[in-house]
Amino acid sequence: MPQVERDGIAERSCLERTRNESRRQQVLQGATQCFCRHGFHNASMAEIAKSAGMSVGHIYHYFESKEAIIIAIVESQQQEVLALLDQVERSPGSLADALLAEAARGVDGCMDVASTALMLEVLAEAARNPKVAEVVQASDLVLRRRMREVLTRAMGRADPASVPGIEDRIESLFTLFQGIPVRAIRNPELDRERMVRIVHDTIRWILREPA
């Protein structure tokens, strides 16, 4: 096969993958809107298709079920957090300062009602559906592993085992950020600046050296 023809096939294949990924993201955005508005079980594929701007048949080309869509949402959220942690590690200065600098943005995301509604729908489905629960728990394992690496380096250590209470520190941080969305719904008067201050104090506590 001539090189020009091979290059043409490779280019078309790349374009097709890009187009497919764009379509998948279009479905996920439409599904997210429907899940937040109607809940997972009340959102029909027809409504998701309408929100995504495509036919139901076209959606099934990318996702075999609503369950597959919610699993893809979990995986997408995982990639967002991993990308954020990568960005933190690339930041100039200390990792501790970078974590503190990202705290405000983290609080803003946690206090977004739409994001919280989606999180609660995912967790509710995980409580009922073993397959979704497996994906959620596997994702949590990946994020805890990555956070373990970040915190270890932020404290100037080479080995996580050398950080006293490393697992407690990780759970404290995750519990804080995963609890803010619930508080924001239960208490709509929750003050953003106070939450940022609490998060800053907690991060400093997590990064403290033991007495």
Side-chain angles (χ1 to χ4, degrees):
M1 181 183 297
Q3 182 65 41
V4 172
E5 186 175 349
R6 287 200 298 270
D7 290 345
I9 291 173
E11 182 178 356
R12 287 195 296 274
S13 177
C14 182
L15 288 173
E16 182 65 22
R17 287 195 299 271
T18 301
R19 184 160 46 246
N20 285 343
E21 181 57 28
S22 177
R23 288 292 193 178
R24 279 175 54 86
Q25 291 303 316
Q26 189 175 336
V27 174
L28 292 180
Q29 290 172 7
T32 294
Q33 293 172 3
C34 288
F35 293 160
C36 291
R37 191 161 52 240
H38 305 297
F40 177 72
H41 285 283
N42 290 328
S44 68
M45 283 300 243
E47 289 170 325
I48 293 173
K50 181 178 180 181
S51 182
M54 61 180 67
S55 69
V56 173
H58 204 175
I59 286 182
Y60 280 117
H61 178 71
Y62 301 102
F63 298 98
E64 63 183 17
S65 63
K66 284 196 298 180
E67 178 186 86
I69 293 175
I70 206 166
I71 288 173
I73 288 173
V74 172
E75 293 170 345
S76 177
Q77 291 173 335
Q78 173 186 305
Q79 291 307 311
E80 289 179 6
V81 176
L82 291 176
L84 174 61
L85 293 177
D86 288 345
Q87 178 181 321
V88 165
E89 285 202 312
R90 290 194 300 268
S91 299
S94 71
L95 274 175
D97 288 341
L99 285 170
L100 289 168
E102 288 293 333
R105 190 168 71 154
V107 169
D108 287 339
C110 289
M111 295 184 72
D112 179 72
V113 175
S115 296
T116 299
L118 181 62
M119 179 194 74
L120 294 177
E121 286 297 326
V122 169
L123 294 180
E125 185 60 19
R128 295 185 290 259
N129 186 324
K131 186 175 180 180
V132 174
E134 182 180 352
V135 173
V136 168
Q137 291 160 11
S139 177
D140 190 75
L141 182 63
V142 169
L143 296 179
R144 280 187 282 122
R145 184 183 302 122
R146 185 71 181 97
M147 183 59 72
R148 190 177 299 114
E149 295 172 351
V150 171
L151 289 183
T152 299
R153 292 170 190 164
M155 297 187 69
R157 308 293 180 91
D159 181 5
S162 69
V163 180
I166 183 69
E167 300 305 322
D168 292 346
R169 298 171 195 255
I170 293 169
E171 286 300 332
S172 296
L173 188 59
F174 279 18
T175 298
L176 174 65
F177 277 104
Q178 292 172 3
I180 292 173
V182 175
R183 294 302 307 151
I185 288 180
R186 295 178 67 95
N187 177 16
E189 302 301 320
L190 191 66
D191 182 72
R192 174 191 179 276
E193 298 307 316
R194 183 174 65 171
M195 287 311 308
V196 171
R197 186 172 67 253
I198 290 170
V199 170
H200 277 183
D201 290 345
T202 303
I203 291 175
R204 291 189 184 97
W205 175 82
I206 287 171
L207 297 178
R208 80 197 187 288
E209 289 291 344

